[in-house]
Amino acid sequence: MNDEDLRLAPRTRAADLLAWAAEQDRAPVAEAPLRTVLALLELGDGRMHDGWPELTSDAVEHLLYERLHLYVQPTPDEDPLAYGDAVRLLIDHQRAAKRLNAKRQERLHAEAEWQGEVAAGLLRRADLLTWPRLYAVLLHAHGVDTADQAAVRDWLAGFAELGEEERLAAYEALVPAGWLDEPDELGWGPGRLLSVGMATDGARLLLEQGLMRRSYRNLAELNALGRPMPDELAGDFGEFEAAAAEVALDLFGEWTVPGLARLLVEEFPELAPEPGQEEIDAYLAQVPAE
């Protein structure tokens, strides 16, 4: 797989944006949230100009209200409002580059501020969790060194030895301990676990599709320069799809705990089940009719 041509993983211009902010003597913005914001914008449906995402009201809302909570779990020492700060920095940079007029800059600033506050609240909601996000919270709550993948693996192995009721109790304990807000009426029963698995599956598929769309956009630019389409895209797409799935797992880990998503999929799938239609139908059949 020729990654330099396909360019699956986003190569954000976060360093350029941080350098510009320093030149402007602006208050610093955290680098990790900035990279995440730029990557998710690039993997969305919006257009790109010279390596920068085109900012619109729809793009800001899509990022902060619809996508961020699928992928991101801040560490305990990270400010969840930093994602809104990152968007506002990008807005000001695009205004300085004359890609936004003053009226649009002001409107987008206001939208990014309140949407950023909404996003910080969404990141605490139990009904919006994915498995990587939930286990990231658990790891932080139990004081695991998340920079040490061996420690993460060992903790997951120990957690896998617990019975289902004990694992459910560990999820529930995150609320009184202050890590998450109260869940909805589903609580932490089978319906909640089903929804977490479905959300995880959908989020990963969205990410894989975004990665492939991004590569197709880049390939169109290559073809315009007279460079041929790589063999992987000229016929059988299986290898391309597999590569996108691998990069999606890495990004899931980058935005929660490094390596966590891959561990859950490859080594501990019983801790993070993603239901198929058969499991969904079986659950619905047990739900009393209203």
Side-chain angles (χ1 to χ4, degrees), residues 16-229:
D16 294 342
L17 192 51
L18 289 171
W20 176 82
E23 291 171 0
Q24 302 299 310
D25 200 25
R26 293 177 56 102
V29 172
E31 182 175 356
L34 180 60
R35 289 189 182 281
T36 302
V37 161
L38 290 171
L40 285 172
L41 284 170
E42 188 169 349
L43 295 175
D45 297 326
R47 299 174 60 187
M48 299 287 294
H49 294 287
D50 298 327
W52 300 104
E54 182 179 279
L55 290 171
T56 64
S57 295
D58 286 346
V60 170
E61 180 178 7
H62 189 64
L63 168 71
L64 295 174
Y65 185 70
E66 298 180 22
R67 287 295 175 92
L68 195 69
H69 65 77
L70 293 176
Y71 304 109
V72 168
Q73 188 56 54
T75 64
D77 59 349
E78 288 178 339
D79 183 0
L81 294 175
Y83 298 95
D85 294 340
V87 174
R88 292 197 296 276
L89 175 61
L90 181 59
I91 290 167
D92 291 345
H93 176 268
Q94 292 301 278
R95 167 59 178 160
K98 304 188 185 304
R99 294 209 179 273
L100 298 173
N101 59 35
K103 185 175 182 180
R104 285 186 63 200
Q105 178 193 25
E106 182 179 2
R107 184 180 71 248
L108 288 173
H109 241 287
E111 292 171 354
E113 182 171 5
W114 75 266
Q115 290 278 8
E117 294 173 356
V118 169
L122 297 179
L123 290 173
R124 292 187 53 83
R125 283 178 49 176
D127 60 321
L128 297 178
L129 288 167
T130 58
W131 287 123
R133 289 193 55 225
L134 174 57
Y135 280 98
V137 177
L138 282 166
L139 289 163
H140 293 313
H142 286 83
V144 179
D145 180 2
T146 55
D148 183 348
Q149 190 166 110
V152 172
R153 180 184 283 105
D154 288 345
W155 186 89
L156 290 174
F159 197 70
E161 294 177 357
L162 301 178
E164 182 177 353
E165 292 301 318
E166 292 175 289
R167 294 203 296 266
L168 287 174
Y171 304 150
E172 292 171 350
L174 294 171
V175 174
W179 292 91
L180 295 173
D181 292 337
E182 289 284 350
D184 59 18
E185 63 276 5
L186 286 178
W188 279 103
R192 167 68 58 234
L193 303 184
L194 195 75
S195 71
V196 174
M198 292 171 62
T200 304
D201 179 61
R204 192 169 60 248
L205 287 174
L206 281 173
L207 192 54
E208 291 171 13
Q209 292 165 6
L211 288 163
M212 288 189 283
R213 281 197 308 269
R214 178 182 182 278
S215 286
Y216 285 127
R217 289 198 302 264
N218 291 334
L219 286 169
E221 296 176 5
L222 292 175
N223 290 340
L225 296 173
R227 296 179 61 184
M229 179 178 288

